[in-house]
Amino acid sequence: MALTREQMAQRVARELKDGYYVNLGIGIPTLVANYVPADMDVMLQSENGLLGMGEFPTESTIDADMINAGKQTVTARRGASIFDSAQSFAMIRGGHVDLTVLGAFEVDVEGNIASWMIPGKLVKGMGGAMDLVAGADNIIVTMTHASKDGESKLLSRCSLPLTGAGCIRKVLTDLAYLEIENGAFILRETAPGVSVEEIIEKTAGKLIVPDDVKEMTF
């Protein structure tokens, strides 16, 4: 079966390392905050000006003035810092974020990403996505493997306007975890119960399937 949003967040959380500064984009990436290992010291950064984002609040801890970049209410952990967006983007553009997790509409075999606009549809704008993909070396894209119409989002070439070029190396979909190398998607892990054949069928770009592909466990 395809991974749930929560399982995708859990899988991304396995990429965290002690001492990391991590930016979480809007959507599925924000859920990663709920799965940071208790024994790990990770500082989560939100581009609107918060370093030290904690778990989502309960009804008793909610503060309407404490929000992330997606306008969701969040909490701040001990040692958190609040600052303006200029400082936040100086941190992002200066390469001070160890891991960036963001969503996308399309990713292709050259590591290009389209994440901000679908022609003909009303959009709010690029946001900080262009800065995030340009300023980070370690990026994980999280998205569904195919659209609601069954069209693959993993392509030979992105068809939508690009957010960044040649910047993506890791993709987690609801079906698989893949890496991008030498103009191809490399299948590293499959979601529990998802066959390699299904992933091949739903991947439009060149896909390499090594002999040591693993199945994710939760």
Side-chain angles (χ1 to χ4, degrees):
M1 295 179 63
L3 298 180
T4 64
R5 291 165 58 90
E6 288 73 21
Q7 286 176 319
M8 292 176 72
Q10 283 180 271
R11 175 59 187 84
V12 170
R14 296 174 187 173
E15 301 296 312
L16 301 176
K17 293 183 180 180
D18 204 45
Y20 261 17
Y21 292 90
V22 182
N23 181 281
L24 302 178
I26 297 170
I28 294 171
T30 60
L31 298 175
V32 175
N34 292 332
Y35 298 102
V36 178
D39 61 348
M40 187 178 289
D41 186 21
V42 171
M43 294 292 276
L44 301 179
Q45 194 245 20
S46 184
E47 66 196 61
N48 56 320
L50 171 62
L51 179 64
M53 189 164 51
E55 298 180 355
F56 283 110
T58 62
E59 288 189 13
S60 62
T61 60
I62 194 168
D63 179 351
D65 293 324
M66 182 71 70
I67 61 172
N68 62 19
K71 308 299 186 292
Q72 296 168 303
T73 52
V74 294
T75 60
R77 53 161 280 182
R78 183 180 295 274
S81 177
I82 296 173
F83 36 84
D84 63 27
S85 60
Q87 269 190 296
S88 180
F89 278 93
M91 182 183 297
I92 292 167
R93 293 168 183 166
H96 304 295
V97 176
D98 298 297
L99 174 65
T100 293
V101 187
L102 73 166
F105 298 135
E106 296 175 345
V107 173
D108 68 30
V109 296
E110 299 300 328
N112 300 322
I113 176 174
S115 67
W116 72 281
M117 179 183 181
I118 297 177
K121 291 192 176 183
L122 182 64
V123 293
K124 295 181 179 179
M126 178 78 71
M130 182 180 288
D131 299 270
L132 287 165
V133 298
D137 292 326
N138 190 9
I139 304 168
I140 300 177
V141 171
T142 62
M143 63 181 187
T144 56
H145 208 96
S147 68
K148 293 180 180 178
D149 298 328
E151 297 295 326
S152 179
K153 295 183 178 182
L154 280 70
L155 309 173
S156 296
R157 181 72 180 178
C158 288
S159 63
L160 298 173
L162 296 185
T163 306
C167 53
I168 306 302
R169 295 292 174 266
K170 303 174 184 177
V171 182
L172 175 70
T173 74
D174 55 343
L175 302 182
Y177 171 71
L178 311 98
E179 295 177 351
I180 300 173
E181 298 177 7
N182 301 318
F185 295 110
I186 314 294
L187 180 61
R188 298 299 186 192
E189 300 175 24
T190 63
V194 174
S195 68
V196 171
E197 289 72 23
E198 180 180 356
I199 295 167
I200 292 172
E201 179 185 351
K202 294 184 177 179
T203 304
K206 181 181 179 181
L207 176 66
I208 295 175
V209 183
D211 294 332
D212 59 349
V213 175
K214 300 176 181 178
E215 183 178 282
M216 298 178 207
T217 57
F218 293 92

